Amino acid sequence: MSEKALRDLNTIPGSERKNENSSKGSIAKPLVGNTNGNLEEGQKKNSSSLVSPPVNGGEIVNSGAETGNTEVEYIDSEKLNDLEDVDTILKTLLAGLDSKDWVLVCEALNNVRRFSIFHKEAMLEMLGDVISLVVKSLKNPRSAVCKTAIMTSADIFSAYKDLIIESLDPMLVQLLLKSSQDKRFVCEAAEKALVELTTSVSPILLLPKLQPNLKHRNPRIRAKASMCFCRSVPQLGVDGIKEYGIDKLIQIAASQLSDQLPESREAARSLLLELQTVYQKSYDLSSIAVSEQPEKPEMGSWENFCQSKLSPLSAQAVLRVTNISREALVIGS
């Protein structure tokens, strides 16, 4: 009995020691899990600080399910601070724009804006590559990236002006598309960028880029392109319009009068009124020359000019629009 009791006593501590070891193992696992959780939480905090720095002010938007707990700050151009280390940031700029981390992409886009405003010469050599990656961000389905890219486009237009013309086509199509989207804050930003485009880039260079989009299969893109075209033409001035070809411009405007969307038609009306004013000023200035050159029927009245350059139906539509608008202006005055 004593030997059996001794064996029992010897087995109890072993069992307890086994249970104790098992308990220690079960405690260790939650510790690892908590550590990973803390790391993830720390990464989120770091990411949030990258997108929403406490300086500069600006519009802060919580992008909800799209970004989790991260807040995105849209900083106005005039509130952007200068870069602290230009050379280092320039070396990593393209990699940041091409990153798979959308937070880093937004940070890189804001750095492109800073380069455009404060150090545009430094980024000039890589401008084509930068624009290609900005276009990539314009296509990004995440609204925060898309809007930041739109704001970046506007700053690029303002800084580089005619220098962007060779790289403009893909960016222009995306901005026209974004300006017609249902997301209001994206749409408004794209419209501002297009206004900046038409005021920053020479119309003689911009109009040929806009013209193909006037026949785009997407009616919304056609409408936005018509509005840009209408804004850009007056910047040519009287002499510039004559040089570009008033007959060419009137044909473009006439084709937009029958477009599907009212925005296109309204832009066409505004453009036709502008062309009529320019034509009549030119006619008044050239009245002596006209009497000496009767073989040029296009130098006659506005009505004769329209009928000589357009089909009968198009001429009728143009004359109706311009005559009614002029009569309304006279009555209003």
Side-chain angles (χ1 to χ4, degrees), residues 290-303:
V290 171
S291 62
E292 296 174 355
Q293 301 178 33
E295 70 277 6
K296 293 186 178 182
E298 67 272 14
M299 298 302 294
S301 67
W302 171 249
E303 182 177 354

Side-chain angles (χ1 to χ4, degrees), residues 115-168:
F115 273 110
S116 300
I117 295 170
F118 300 107
H119 308 280
K120 64 180 183 180
E121 294 82 6
M123 199 172 66
L124 187 58
E125 291 186 1
M126 63 170 67
L127 184 60
D129 294 331
V130 168
I131 290 177
S132 296
L133 291 172
V134 172
V135 171
K136 179 181 177 181
S137 293
L138 287 172
K139 298 177 182 179
N140 195 301
R142 190 181 292 276
S143 298
V145 177
C146 181
K147 180 171 178 177
T148 306
I150 292 171
M151 298 173 75
T152 304
S153 302
D155 288 329
I156 288 174
F157 297 151
S158 178
Y160 294 98
K161 303 184 185 301
D162 293 353
L163 295 176
I164 56 93
I165 200 67
E166 296 300 324
S167 306
L168 179 61

